[in-house]
Amino acid sequence: MDTQIKTALIVAGSTTFGVLISQAISILLSFLDKRHKKHILLRQKYEEMMFHFQDSLEYYNQVGACRTLDQLERKTHCISANRAMGIALLYFQNLAPLFDIYLRNQIAYYHLILESFNPNIPATAGAQARVHNKTALKKIEQNLFQSKDNLIDAIKMNTKKYTKA
């Protein structure tokens, strides 16, 4: 083969190899950047979910402290717990069943408080439930507190997985 043809083939091969390497590096960097952005998003959503869950812990005391039917009716559901559940459904499906149990226990607690409430008695809704439905209230509170503890444990267990970024 002619020297010029060999030289042209070597140059063409080198150029092609250089372009392939450049493209491979670009693809790898793009993949790593997307993965990093996903980790950042998951960390932000995990933090947001945890903050909503923390806010939802006040619901128990807020419902029990109600003194009027109007106050009690404004507490039909815990907005923070529902927001945390929504985030879990979208981003952290392994936590969603635990949020579901937690929400169901909050609802059961609310319904028992509402059922026990008499606006003519000058006591908080929680105190009335403690007098009128002591056994049922104790069981519901145990379930609510257990579901809260299970959720806290799961959140702690998954923290390292979702907070790296």
Side-chain angles (χ1 to χ4, degrees), residues 97-119:
L98 295 172
F99 272 107
D100 183 53
I101 293 167
Y102 176 67
L103 280 168
R104 289 177 190 272
N105 285 319
Q106 279 189 335
I107 292 167
Y109 174 72
Y110 175 80
H111 283 288
L112 181 72
I113 294 290
L114 185 62
E115 177 185 301
S116 305
F117 185 70
N118 182 344

Side-chain angles (χ1 to χ4, degrees), residues 7-129:
T7 305
L9 287 175
I10 291 173
V11 169
S14 297
T15 304
T16 305
F17 184 72
V19 168
L20 288 175
I21 293 292
S22 174
Q23 286 299 315
I25 290 172
S26 293
I27 290 170
L28 178 64
L29 290 175
S30 174
F31 170 76
L32 293 174
D33 186 50
K34 284 179 185 177
R35 195 171 88 178
H36 180 68
K37 286 179 181 177
K38 180 180 177 184
H39 286 302
I40 289 172
L41 174 70
L42 287 176
R43 184 192 70 222
Q44 290 170 341
K45 292 301 178 182
Y46 202 73
E47 289 171 355
E48 186 179 344
M49 181 194 67
M50 287 176 21
F51 293 145
H52 286 304
F53 173 65
Q54 288 172 342
D55 290 343
S56 79
L57 297 175
E58 297 174 16
Y59 181 73
Y60 170 80
N61 291 328
Q62 291 171 348
V63 170
C66 291
R67 292 188 170 273
T68 67
L69 190 57
D70 186 46
Q71 288 175 339
L72 202 51
E73 287 175 345
R74 280 189 250 137
K75 299 290 180 191
T76 56
H77 62 282
C78 180
I79 294 169
S80 295
N82 284 312
R83 286 180 179 159
M85 173 68 164
I87 292 170
L89 284 169
L90 291 173
Y91 297 98
F92 313 106
Q93 290 83 17
N94 59 325
L95 296 175
L98 295 172
F99 272 107
D100 183 53
I101 293 167
Y102 176 67
L103 280 168
R104 289 177 190 272
N105 285 319
Q106 279 189 335
I107 292 167
Y109 174 72
Y110 175 80
H111 283 288
L112 181 72
I113 294 290
L114 185 62
E115 177 185 301
S116 305
F117 185 70
N118 182 344
N120 299 320
I121 299 173
T124 65
Q128 289 184 38

